[in-house]
Amino acid sequence: MRAPTRRYAYVADGSAIYVDSFATIRREARLDGVPADAEKLAVRMIHGSGQTDLVDDLVIHPGVVAAARSALMLGAPVLADARMVATGITAGRLPAGNEVCCFLTDPRVAALASAWGTTRTAAAVSLWEPLLAGAVVAIGNAPTALFHLLEMLVDGAPRPAAIVGCPVGFIGAAESKQALASFGADHGIDIPFVTVHGRRGGSAMASSAVNALAQEEE
């Protein structure tokens, strides 16, 4: 095999791209309103979305970084709503060989979704329950999954250590994230979280957040 003839001027060194990307984010994004221990979290979420104005819509619970990092160091699993979220989490950043779980393809899911009149992604969240206590949750795809999780918690399900709630879309995404942001005030259940107001979100954003929470090093 041979490399194609270089016809465009672009940076091709992976390390330089990595360093320059984060430098560009810090130069262009307004990070002064972000909690000090959450700056790298915000930067990685911006990196995962390519949008420096994302910082204006971020909602970061003051305890989310410490809670998620401590849980992961103690071996807590990461519970993901979609395979794309799970795949985007860098195993090498997880401090304790943490298991990353997604139950969307579990054979029980289709029947549960049909019986409950909901999406498969939401039904799969109920299969998290045995693992939910002290876990780190990462939702980047389905608003129904986030709504379902919050309903489980109100009903008395075990509480995770932290929730990354960044579902994307036009139907229910903004509303589900607003429900997460006001969950503590509405129900008296204070679970550390990070979310982003509005329709923006997605698997890359959610997995980027977990990668930032997993360790301090950028």
Side-chain angles (χ1 to χ4, degrees), residues 70-181:
S70 295
L72 292 171
M73 289 181 68
L74 291 171
V78 180
L79 307 178
D81 70 320
R83 286 303 312 163
M84 287 190 293
V85 175
T87 301
I89 295 169
T90 305
R93 291 186 67 87
L94 296 172
N98 309 72
E99 186 176 8
V100 180
C101 305
C102 176
F103 292 111
L104 193 53
T105 59
D106 187 286
R108 296 169 288 179
V109 166
L112 289 174
S114 178
W116 296 343
T118 191
T119 66
R120 294 189 180 196
T121 317
V125 171
S126 280
L127 301 183
W128 293 354
E129 190 154 357
L131 302 172
L132 195 54
V136 173
V137 168
I139 296 175
N141 181 38
T144 54
L146 183 52
F147 277 130
H148 192 93
L149 173 65
L150 298 179
E151 290 167 343
M152 287 173 60
L153 293 170
V154 174
D155 281 352
R159 298 182 185 182
I163 300 171
V164 174
C166 299
V168 64
F170 296 90
I171 308 301
E175 294 82 356
S176 67
K177 290 178 285 187
Q178 181 56 51
L180 174 60

Side-chain angles (χ1 to χ4, degrees), residues 200-217:
R200 290 189 285 188
S203 299
M205 192 183 296
S207 58
S208 294
V210 175
N211 289 334
L213 293 168
Q215 62 175 247
E216 173 67 20
E217 183 181 350

Side-chain angles (χ1 to χ4, degrees), residues 20-36:
D20 289 351
S21 293
F22 288 102
T24 300
I25 292 168
R26 284 193 163 80
R27 194 165 56 245
E28 296 184 6
R30 296 185 296 273
L31 297 169
D32 49 295
V34 175

